[in-house]
Amino acid sequence: MGMIDVGDKPESLRTAVAQALLSFDNKIMSIIKDGNSPKGNIFEIAKVSGTLGAKKTSDLIPYCHPIPIDDVKVDVTIETGYVRILVKVKSIWKTGVEMEALTGATIAALSVYDILKPLDVSISIDNIKLLEKHGGIGDFKEKQDKKLEAVVITISDSRKKDQDESGKLIINALTKNGFNIAAYKIIPDDIKIIEKELIHSSDDLKVNIVITTGGTGVGPRDVTPEATKRILEKEVSGITENLRNYGQSRTPLSMLSRGVSGIRGNTLIVNMPGSTNAVSQSINALFPGVMHIFRMIAGQGHHK
């Protein structure tokens, strides 16, 4: 038990909105609206304390991650019989901001309670709840019209299947994301053999994606990028840039990978490094964003 490790999760825009209600006797409504309560204006105290509460959430909730908060908005309205506090939190990070929004709303409500308690001993805090949350990889998951097919190719002169941890990591990631594995092969670092297998996977097997692992470095036998470029019809450099950028934040060696990505026919081909660590550190960056490309290849545009 403890904090959840989010180190391998990609960053994305996250938002959450939480509310808290304070019930009070209607006899004090005019005082509240005019800001004449003995301890000050509830609108100002709610905004300041709600913002502070959201920013201090990790100090108050033991297993919450300290996160970079980009924005906190606190809205206070007075309605018949209660004060409504809404707190919206925004962050671009690896985990959601629900707890920050809820904590902000709670601290704001407690601060308003403190302001109003001299006027009404019956005041109560009610209905603290999360109203909405957005962001994270879940927002980008797409339902495919049919089961997608994949081929995994490990490129190595000496590696055997029982030694191929990188290939297994890729297979697990693809399976987890809904792919059927049509073929899994280990082939030597030979440019003609690599070309032949990539052409076979895209032209004959007609799978949706081929992921290679190995042969992307600068050694004399590292020819996977050259073989891939020869058979691609369109390069999709953004995929490769994202993989390298994601890996570089975890290891300084990611910049040495020369892997490429692109399309042949209706097949996406992605080169990944051969190192098990490199694959484990970058495979998560591929999903779920890459899933959208299959709709685009099929001519369905950008809609979900």
Side-chain angles (χ1 to χ4, degrees):
M1 295 179 64
M3 291 180 72
I4 295 174
D5 185 354
V6 297
D8 287 336
K9 294 178 70 174
E11 295 180 357
S12 64
L13 174 62
R14 315 274 187 148
T15 61
V17 180
Q19 80 163 15
L21 302 181
L22 288 91
S23 300
F24 60 85
D25 190 316
N26 281 329
K27 291 184 294 185
I28 67 169
M29 180 177 285
S30 61
I31 299 175
I32 297 173
K33 282 186 174 181
D34 294 339
N36 293 326
S37 57
K39 288 189 174 183
N41 187 303
I42 69 165
F43 299 96
E44 293 303 320
I45 193 65
K47 289 181 179 180
V48 172
S49 60
T51 301
L52 183 63
K55 292 167 67 176
K56 290 289 187 179
T57 298
S58 63
D59 292 335
L60 300 170
I61 311 297
Y63 293 148
C64 274
H65 296 82
I67 68 173
I69 292 179
D70 297 314
D71 189 35
V72 180
K73 291 283 193 302
V74 181
D75 183 58
V76 182
T77 56
I78 299 176
E79 303 175 37
T80 303
Y82 61 87
V83 176
R84 182 190 301 273
I85 298 172
L86 295 178
V87 176
K88 180 177 182 179
V89 181
K90 172 186 172 184
S91 176
I92 298 177
W93 208 61
K94 304 172 185 178
T95 187
V97 290
E98 308 96 287
M99 293 307 300
E100 285 71 20
L102 284 164
T103 303
T106 302
I107 298 300
L110 286 169
S111 298
V112 172
Y113 182 98
D114 181 52
I115 293 288
L116 297 181
K117 70 180 190 293
L119 301 174
D120 181 4
V121 295
S122 67
I123 193 169
S124 63
I125 298 173
D126 310 302
N127 209 8
I128 297 173
K129 66 179 181 180
L130 185 70
L131 298 181
E132 58 183 84
K133 59 171 285 190
H134 302 285
I137 60 175
D139 279 8
F140 296 92
K141 287 185 177 179
E142 298 190 25
K143 184 177 180 180
Q144 301 294 329
D145 297 331
K146 61 180 181 178
K147 197 77 170 180
L148 299 176
E149 300 283 326
V151 168
V152 177
I153 302 175
T154 297
I155 299 167
S156 171
D157 287 330
S158 58
R159 194 178 301 179
K160 306 298 181 184
K161 282 192 175 182
D162 59 351
Q163 304 168 325
D164 184 26
E165 296 300 323
S166 298
K168 292 172 187 174
L169 282 171
I170 295 170
I171 289 171
N172 288 339
L174 286 166
T175 302
K176 182 180 177 181
N177 283 278
F179 287 84
N180 283 331
I181 307 302
Y184 162 49
K185 297 181 179 180
I186 297 180
I187 61 175
D189 291 284
D190 182 294
I191 195 166
K192 291 184 178 179
I193 294 176
I194 297 169
E195 283 185 51
K196 179 181 176 182
E197 289 297 335
L198 293 177
I199 292 171
H200 172 64
S201 296
S202 56
D203 295 6
D204 300 329
L205 298 181
K206 298 184 185 300
V207 297
N208 302 97
I209 189 170
V210 178
I211 300 183
T212 70
T213 172
T216 63
V218 295
R221 295 283 290 169
D222 290 329
V223 293
T224 302
E226 285 73 21
T228 305
K229 286 180 179 180
R230 287 187 186 184
I231 61 91
L232 289 179
E233 295 168 356
K234 295 178 182 178
E235 240 185 285
V236 186
S237 57
I239 293 176
T240 307
E241 290 166 5
N242 183 52
L243 290 173
R244 270 196 285 267
N245 181 63
Y246 187 87
Q248 190 66 24
S249 65
R250 289 154 178 81
T251 171
L253 305 180
S254 182
M255 64 181 177
L256 302 179
S257 173
R258 299 185 304 111
V260 298
S261 303
I263 297 168
R264 179 183 174 89
N266 290 327
T267 300
L268 172 65
I269 300 171
V270 179
N271 296 158
M272 298 198 74
S275 160
T276 302
N277 284 338
V279 170
S280 67
Q281 290 166 349
S282 58
I283 189 67
N284 290 324
L286 206 55
F287 302 102
V290 76
M291 303 298 286
H292 187 61
I293 200 171
F294 303 115
R295 290 185 178 276
M296 297 174 68
I297 290 173
Q300 298 177 23
H302 287 283
H303 67 282
K304 285 192 176 184

